[in-house]
Amino acid sequence: MRKTTNTTRAARALVPALALASAVALAGPAAADAPARTGTTVGAAVEQNRSELPAFAGHSYRLEVDNGVVFHNSYSADGTKLHWEATAGPMKGNSGDQDLAVKKVNDGVYHVNWVEESGMTVSHVMDLNSGNVSVYWTYVNESGDRVGELHTATLARIA
């Protein structure tokens, strides 16, 4: 049985706080006054946004992360699926297909999340207007501990 430390508990509590802070910062002051919603599942998050297609739907982007990884991300026409390929950096050659949970934060700004088969979780706050992306992912390291990494990236539409 793995021991849960206070640091681990604190990190688990910090992840939603970081995501919320990113979304509020990008959305502006009006978002801070909006009523909070709790208990939304990934499936429900996808469902609540189907009335309006995200601006990235049906397009492909080059995502360059600050750690040297470059992805080619292709989004389905309805914006609910992602096919990604790592084209440079230490992940080069890896790829995957993901179901997305998407929330529009503001015009051209989206909070995009998914869970990979490996258990890795990924969260992007994508600003299509500026081409900037805040990235947070978690994974289990070699020691069996869940760790998180916060990154910045640039996004350029290629198709």
Side-chain angles (χ1 to χ4, degrees):
M1 183 161 113
R2 222 173 55 199
K3 182 180 174 185
T4 302
T5 65
N6 287 338
T7 303
T8 304
R9 281 189 212 99
R12 287 181 185 153
L14 182 60
V15 173
L18 286 172
L20 178 60
S22 296
V24 169
L26 288 169
D33 297 329
R37 283 195 261 178
T38 59
T40 303
T41 64
V42 171
V46 173
E47 287 296 323
Q48 72 190 24
N49 294 303
R50 290 217 175 156
S51 61
E52 181 183 340
L53 286 178
F56 59 80
H59 299 290
S60 295
Y61 294 85
R62 176 184 170 94
L63 180 73
E64 293 186 40
V65 184
D66 61 10
N67 65 356
V69 178
V70 177
F71 294 99
H72 179 137
N73 289 351
S74 297
Y75 297 92
S76 63
D78 64 0
T80 63
K81 298 198 181 301
L82 164 68
H83 174 76
W84 61 267
E85 281 183 60
T87 59
M91 292 182 62
K92 184 177 180 177
N94 289 304
S95 63
D97 295 291
Q98 313 304 147
D99 292 326
L100 302 176
V102 177
K103 176 69 177 162
K104 183 177 180 179
V105 176
N106 210 338
D107 289 336
V109 181
Y110 299 88
H111 195 190
V112 181
N113 306 276
W114 66 90
V115 179
E116 298 184 0
E117 283 185 34
S118 66
M120 183 174 194
T121 62
V122 182
S123 181
H124 290 181
V125 177
M126 299 171 34
D127 184 339
L128 302 179
N129 304 310
S130 70
N132 294 315
V133 181
S134 292
V135 179
Y136 185 78
W137 57 59
T138 70
Y139 57 93
V140 176
N141 67 13
E142 300 82 30
S143 302
D145 297 318
R146 181 159 288 278
V147 295
E149 296 180 16
L150 188 59
H151 294 277
T152 58
T154 57
L155 190 67
R157 187 169 151 187
I158 55 177

